[in-house]
Amino acid sequence: AYQNKTDDISPSEMLNHFGWKNKKPIIAVYASNWFDFPHNSGMSNFRDFQDWLEITLNIASKIDDINWVFKAHPVDKRYGGITLTDLMSKYHANNIGIVPDSWSSVSLMQITSGVVTVHGSIGIEYASRGKAVLLADRGFYHDTGIALWSKTQNDYIKNLKRKWWEDIDTEKT
């Protein structure tokens, strides 16, 4: 909605786009805005968003039974500097991909099993659509019960390595 991203994408189109031939669960990872308000809610589990993304990419690239789609924050291009694309260029795993800017988040919510974010508002959007949310750190809704909150970096890493979305009662959410 932020920049009229209206390209709806179907599950088969997403699989074809990334060259994925299987029906593995797909988890979305939404990057945070690095420059406007990187610590508005405080971060205690990571140095900054880059630290979080590098850890997440490293783990995701090694978990072969999940397909991962990474989505840059809509205002990344406004500021320049290091981007999600720059960070992802170091990882060449077949099960990770970057979402094109034009793809609709609504389509992604329908296709994916859940979302991972530090504390972005996308977690509220996913939860409101009955989808699972994993928070990497505390934020303004971490303790509301609508998401799985990782209290420490080790807690986050353990959660990321398992099928955490299967443990969330999305009906209750």
Side-chain angles (χ1 to χ4, degrees):
Y2 180 80
Q3 294 175 341
N4 297 320
K5 303 197 184 212
T6 57
D7 289 353
D8 290 328
I9 186 87
S10 70
S12 61
E13 289 170 323
M14 179 184 281
L15 291 174
N16 287 337
H17 177 83
F18 292 116
W20 295 336
K21 306 282 186 231
N22 52 53
K23 297 288 184 179
K24 296 176 189 178
I26 301 172
I27 296 296
V29 179
Y30 273 63
S32 296
N33 178 317
W34 299 21
F35 303 103
D36 271 353
F37 41 86
H39 297 288
N40 71 325
S41 296
M43 290 181 80
S44 56
N45 296 344
F46 302 91
R47 178 190 69 235
D48 53 30
F49 292 135
Q50 183 173 345
D51 183 36
W52 165 69
L53 276 169
E54 288 175 341
I55 288 169
T56 304
L57 280 162
N58 186 40
I59 292 168
S61 68
K62 295 174 183 171
I63 301 175
D64 200 6
D65 59 341
I66 299 170
N67 286 325
W68 304 82
V69 290
F70 285 75
K71 184 157 176 53
H73 194 279
V75 298
D76 272 3
K77 291 183 179 179
R78 178 181 296 172
Y79 297 104
I82 296 172
T83 66
L84 178 61
T85 302
D86 296 331
L87 292 178
M88 289 188 69
S89 67
K90 296 187 282 187
Y91 299 90
H92 302 287
N94 292 332
N95 65 324
I96 61 173
I98 190 164
V99 173
D101 287 340
S102 62
W103 285 8
S104 158
S105 282
V106 173
S107 291
L108 289 176
M109 283 184 243
Q110 292 169 343
I111 296 169
T112 56
S113 297
V115 68
V116 177
T117 182
V118 173
H119 47 54
S121 59
I122 193 67
I124 295 171
E125 295 174 48
Y126 262 75
S128 72
R129 291 181 175 269
K131 294 288 186 158
V133 179
L134 174 61
L135 297 177
D137 215 318
R138 62 188 171 92
F140 63 98
Y141 63 93
H142 68 276
D143 57 355
T144 63
I146 67 168
L148 176 58
W149 168 37
S150 303
K151 294 175 180 73
T152 67
Q153 187 179 108
N154 284 338
D155 190 27
Y156 173 71
I157 291 168
K158 286 178 191 173
N159 285 329
L160 206 58
K161 289 181 176 181
R162 64 183 189 84
K163 295 181 179 180
W164 55 269
W165 60 93
E166 293 177 351
D167 297 338
I168 295 176
D169 182 353
T170 54
E171 190 66 33
K172 181 179 175 186
T173 301

